[in-house]
Structure formats: C-alpha cells, structure tokens
Amino acid sequence: PVGGNPEGDVTVVEFFDYNCSYCRRSFPALVEIEKSDPKVRIVFKEFPILGPGSLLAARAALAAKSQGKYVEYHQALMGGRAKTSEAGLMSLAASLGMDAKKLRREMDAPAIMKELAHNRALARALGITGTPAFVVGSELVPGAVDARGLRELIRKARKGMFQRRKVCRYC
C-alpha cells in the first residue's frame, strides 16, 4: 500500500507493527511529512512481529485495500482507535463504513499471506529485526523517527538524487 504522492520523488518505506508503541509514536511524523511535502511517496510494509494480534491487524489492514479503505484503516489503527482483537478490528471496519463480513473473509486470502511473507523476506534481506524501521532513499534507519529526522532524511535523499544527475553525462 502507498500513501502520500504515488509519483513522489522520494520514497519513505516504513516497516511497522500495529502493536508497536514506537511505531505509533512515529506515526504523527509520517502524517506531518505527508501533509507538508507533496512530493513524498510513503510505502507501508506490515511487519507483524509482536504476536497474534499484530498478525490479525496486518491481515485486516491489507484486506481493507479491496474496499478502498487501507489508508483510513491504517491511520485509525496507528492512531490507537481500535484494539487488535478480531472484535476491535471488525468494529473499526464498521465505523469506517466498510463491509466487516467481506473484510473478515478477505483476511484469509492467499494474496495477503503472500504479501506478509514477502515483507518478512524483504525485512530479513535488509537486516531489519524490529519495528519501526524506515528506508528513505537508500538509507536504512532502525527505530522511531520524528518529523524533523524524516525531513532531514528526505533532504539527503533528494540531494543525493540531484548530485547523481549532475554527473550523468547524458543529462
């Protein structure tokens, strides 16, 4: 799933767990960056490592994509508006105007389990063992990051992009 500007010039990737307090602490920074920088693309990578509730929440959020509600569902979970129990997740779906029964069915879709397996494999390949973890440009940053830190990482990524372009003999 993607937030911000899908065609943005810098991509911020976040590996997160809905039960991670540090992820929730970093959430307002991502919201601020999304609102203040229209050129940033945000890629969400569910990385449910904190137990069965985390896995259930990740599956529900990914299933929300089919109803066009991923970002809203994600924001509500990260904002602490729902518990990661099945009842809490279904209640959240209903409060967002979603079809909770359809969501529940789609949570078991093979594509969702495949996406979560892909996220785990990608995290392992990058050496990510905890949440949150951010990849901005080509820089990996484990741990919580505030808006100021994200802005600096984005600035560095943009600077690196432009420096590479300057040395390109075909540009």
Side-chain angles (χ1 to χ4, degrees):
V2 175
N5 179 349
E7 304 298 321
D9 66 347
V10 172
T11 298
V12 174
V13 179
E14 182 190 18
F15 288 81
F16 63 90
D17 185 305
Y18 288 112
N19 283 321
C20 170
S21 62
Y22 294 104
C23 296
R24 287 184 178 179
R25 240 182 260 160
S26 293
F27 174 67
L30 279 173
V31 171
E32 183 179 322
I33 292 298
E34 184 176 12
K35 287 180 181 176
S36 66
D37 190 335
K39 293 182 179 181
V40 172
R41 176 178 179 247
I42 301 170
V43 176
F44 305 102
K45 294 289 185 184
E46 274 83 0
F47 189 42
I49 58 174
L50 298 175
S54 297
L55 179 59
L56 196 63
R59 290 171 41 216
L62 290 172
K65 283 191 306 188
S66 72
Q67 296 184 46
K69 297 281 190 172
Y70 175 85
V71 173
E72 285 178 74
Y73 201 84
H74 170 79
Q75 289 174 343
L77 281 171
M78 292 306 281
R81 285 188 32 211
K83 299 217 181 285
T84 58
S85 65
E86 185 157 348
L89 296 168
M90 294 307 116
S91 177
L92 174 60
S95 76
L96 294 173
M98 297 171 64
D99 180 338
K101 288 181 182 179
K102 180 179 179 185
L103 180 78
R104 184 63 196 97
R105 280 191 313 273
E106 292 176 350
M107 287 170 60
D108 295 324
I112 287 176
M113 299 311 286
K114 184 177 178 181
E115 185 166 347
L116 290 171
H118 172 77
N119 290 354
R120 279 191 301 278
L122 182 58
R124 189 174 22 254
L126 293 170
I128 296 171
T129 58
T131 57
F134 296 89
V135 179
V136 182
S138 61
E139 193 164 342
L140 171 64
V141 181
V145 179
D146 62 12
R148 186 171 143 203
L150 279 174
R151 275 194 294 277
E152 180 60 19
L153 290 164
I154 292 165
R155 186 192 66 74
K156 285 181 183 178
R158 283 191 177 121
K159 183 178 178 187
M161 265 182 1
F162 295 126
Q163 286 176 344
R164 282 192 299 277
R165 286 185 184 155
K166 288 180 183 175
V167 299
C168 175
R169 63 188 177 129
Y170 300 109
C171 297

